[in-house]
Amino acid sequence: MLQPLAIVFYERLMPGSQLVNRLQDLHYRVLALSNPALLAVTVRRESPLLLFVDLDAPGEICEAIEKIKADDNTQHLPIIAFAPDNKAELLAIAQKSGANLAVSETALSGHLEQLLEQALRLD
């Protein structure tokens, strides 16, 4: 059985590595990236089912989100952005850039399965 691919961009070891492990436990193949400049081209090449982005470097990440959403081949990709609990302003910026969901790290760790379901829901 083919496992769906999730790409996870993170620069901070926690929560990035925890997210990778949890996705693998949910039977996803995971490709982890730490260079925001490679994000859009990797998404186009690999065609993942969804993308998670850590908003640690919001300027570069939001530019990558905008590129992904502007590309006809990748604009459909669900993007879940996450930030530290005390950085709510980053979540608003990510949503303006095109992230489908923007959540705190606490919400991500506590509700990953529900967030996956919501992001992958076909409307």
Side-chain angles (χ1 to χ4, degrees):
M1 183 160 114
L2 186 63
Q3 294 176 307
L5 175 63
I7 294 179
V8 178
F9 168 82
Y10 68 95
E11 292 182 338
R12 296 174 298 135
L13 190 56
M14 296 294 196
S17 61
Q18 287 179 331
L19 177 58
V20 168
N21 290 334
R22 293 226 16 236
L23 287 167
Q24 289 171 335
D25 289 345
L26 293 170
H27 306 289
Y28 280 83
R29 287 181 302 129
V30 180
L31 175 58
L33 294 175
S34 61
N35 184 342
L38 298 177
L39 196 53
V41 69
T42 302
V43 164
R44 185 176 177 126
R45 182 184 68 236
E46 298 295 330
S47 299
L49 183 62
L50 63 132
L51 171 64
F52 289 86
V53 294
D54 182 358
L55 296 171
D56 190 47
E60 293 177 88
I61 294 307
C62 289
E63 286 177 23
I65 292 171
E66 289 171 356
K67 282 183 186 176
I68 291 165
K69 290 299 184 174
D71 185 329
D72 289 341
N73 295 307
T74 58
Q75 65 185 355
H76 67 280
L77 179 68
I79 300 174
I80 301 175
F82 59 95
D85 294 348
N86 62 348
K87 301 280 186 166
E89 69 278 1
L90 296 180
L91 301 177
I93 293 168
Q95 284 191 306
K96 286 180 184 174
S97 297
N100 300 78
L101 297 170
V103 298
S104 70
E105 290 173 8
T106 300
L108 183 66
S109 65
H111 303 286
L112 180 60
E113 291 86 355
Q114 293 92 337
L115 292 168
L116 287 168
E117 184 178 316
Q118 186 176 352
L120 296 173
R121 185 175 305 136
L122 296 174
D123 292 325

